[in-house]
Every structure is written in structure tokens, then in C-alpha cells.
Amino acid sequence: MGQKIIRFSDLTGRHAEDEDQLVRVVVRAHPELADGPVAIEALAGELAEVRGLALDLVTIELHRPDAEEPETVVMTAKAFDRLATVTPMAEVLRGAERVAARTVPVQAAAAGAGRERVNYASREHAGRPHKGRTTDAEKQLVREHLDEINERLAAEGVRTVDLANPEHVARYGLEELAAERGATLG
């Protein structure tokens, strides 16, 4: 007896007559994604308009003198270009100072969020400074892999998680680890 596998679009539920009609779509950033990228399948015809809907985005970092870490903002290129009022943005960028590329991978902008969405509960981002809620998954990763995470953060030139910093200890639930290692909270 044979088996027949019926494949369908995750977007519309429509049946795929032929496997070649299906396109694998990897969703890397979305406001509803909490645990990293996912893959779905869609019929090629359902994705015909995707390229036309794509946005030209600019990712900038704001390094404010009163902030410990830079703020990352994602906006449309058109909105960013409007910030240059005296000289066209293309000229401003051509004459700008070059900076070293960061080792942090570029993240896709979350639809409608206006900012990058990063999964801080992943090994590649856990412990990195961020605004917002620290999830239990991120706390657990930091607790279980603190030394490894601090090595990565230091290599990236980012502040490390300090067991002597009461804010870090509270944020990541490191009270027991700080006590075990004899850290004096400052």
C-alpha cells in the first residue's frame, strides 16, 4: 500500500497540486515571534506581491551621552532622508565618518514595530542590554551560561552582566549565583 502526502499553504490552506508550487518562507522577525525564526510554506502565487510590498529600511543607533547603551531605531529610508534639511542625505552619508562594522547580526525590522525585534532568550542575544521585560527563558539562559554569555558580550564590545551590579542581579535573577561567587553588590 502506498501513501500520498498532501501539502498545502500555511497562509491560505489551499492544496498544492505539485510540490514545486510551494515556497519555504522563513519568518525571522514578527511581533508575535518570541522564540526565534519559524518556517512556513505558501504557494508561489500567494507571494507574487511580496517584493512590491518590501520597504527600504534604515537602521540607526542613537548614542546619547546620558545613556549606557545605544538605542537602535529602524525607519523607512524616506523618513530618514527627510531628517537632512540643508544637504541631501546621499551627500551627508558620502561625507560621513566611517565606523567599524559591528559584529552583531543585522535583524529584520518587525512589521509595524518601528524597532528591531530581537529574541533575547536565544544564546546569541541573551544578556545583551535592552529595554522591556526580561523573560524567564532569558533569565535562565543567563544564569546557566553566565561566563559564556559574558565572553560573547565582551567580544562584541557590549557591557557584561556584572554580579556586583544590583540591577543586573535583579534583572536576571542572579541572587544565588552572586552569593555563591561571593559578589559584593555595589
Short mmCIF file of all heavy atoms in Angstrom, two decimals, residues 5 9 25 129 145 149 161 181:
data_model
loop_
_atom_site.label_atom_id
_atom_site.label_comp_id
_atom_site.label_asym_id
_atom_site.label_seq_id
_atom_site.Cartn_x
_atom_site.Cartn_y
_atom_site.Cartn_z
N ILE A 5 1.14 12.10 0.30
CA ILE A 5 1.28 13.26 1.19
C ILE A 5 0.63 14.45 0.50
O ILE A 5 0.95 14.78 -0.64
CB ILE A 5 2.75 13.56 1.50
CG1 ILE A 5 3.37 12.37 2.25
CG2 ILE A 5 2.88 14.85 2.30
CD1 ILE A 5 4.85 12.52 2.49
N SER A 9 -0.79 25.29 1.62
CA SER A 9 -0.25 26.57 2.03
C SER A 9 -0.63 26.85 3.48
O SER A 9 -1.79 26.73 3.86
CB SER A 9 -0.81 27.68 1.14
OG SER A 9 -0.54 28.96 1.70
N VAL A 25 9.04 29.84 3.40
CA VAL A 25 9.14 31.22 3.87
C VAL A 25 9.68 31.19 5.29
O VAL A 25 9.05 30.61 6.18
CB VAL A 25 7.76 31.92 3.84
CG1 VAL A 25 7.88 33.35 4.36
CG2 VAL A 25 7.16 31.89 2.44
N PRO A 129 22.06 44.22 26.76
CA PRO A 129 21.18 45.26 27.32
C PRO A 129 19.99 45.53 26.40
O PRO A 129 20.14 45.55 25.18
CB PRO A 129 22.07 46.50 27.38
CG PRO A 129 23.47 46.00 27.29
CD PRO A 129 23.41 44.72 26.51
N HIS A 145 24.51 30.02 31.80
CA HIS A 145 25.65 30.20 30.90
C HIS A 145 26.30 31.57 31.07
O HIS A 145 26.77 32.17 30.09
CB HIS A 145 25.20 30.02 29.44
CG HIS A 145 24.53 28.72 29.18
ND1 HIS A 145 25.22 27.55 29.00
CD2 HIS A 145 23.22 28.39 29.08
CE1 HIS A 145 24.37 26.56 28.79
NE2 HIS A 145 23.15 27.04 28.84
N ILE A 149 28.19 33.77 28.17
CA ILE A 149 27.49 34.96 27.69
C ILE A 149 28.34 36.20 27.89
O ILE A 149 28.45 37.05 27.01
CB ILE A 149 26.11 35.09 28.38
CG1 ILE A 149 25.16 34.03 27.80
CG2 ILE A 149 25.54 36.48 28.25
CD1 ILE A 149 23.88 33.84 28.55
N VAL A 161 27.37 41.14 32.03
CA VAL A 161 26.46 41.01 33.17
C VAL A 161 27.33 40.91 34.42
O VAL A 161 28.14 39.99 34.55
CB VAL A 161 25.56 39.76 33.02
CG1 VAL A 161 24.66 39.61 34.23
CG2 VAL A 161 24.73 39.85 31.74
N ARG A 181 29.32 33.03 44.36
CA ARG A 181 30.60 33.56 43.91
C ARG A 181 31.12 34.67 44.79
O ARG A 181 32.17 35.26 44.50
CB ARG A 181 30.49 34.04 42.46
CG ARG A 181 30.19 32.90 41.49
CD ARG A 181 30.34 33.33 40.08
NE ARG A 181 29.99 32.26 39.15
CZ ARG A 181 30.09 32.37 37.84
NH1 ARG A 181 30.49 33.49 37.30
NH2 ARG A 181 29.77 31.36 37.07
#
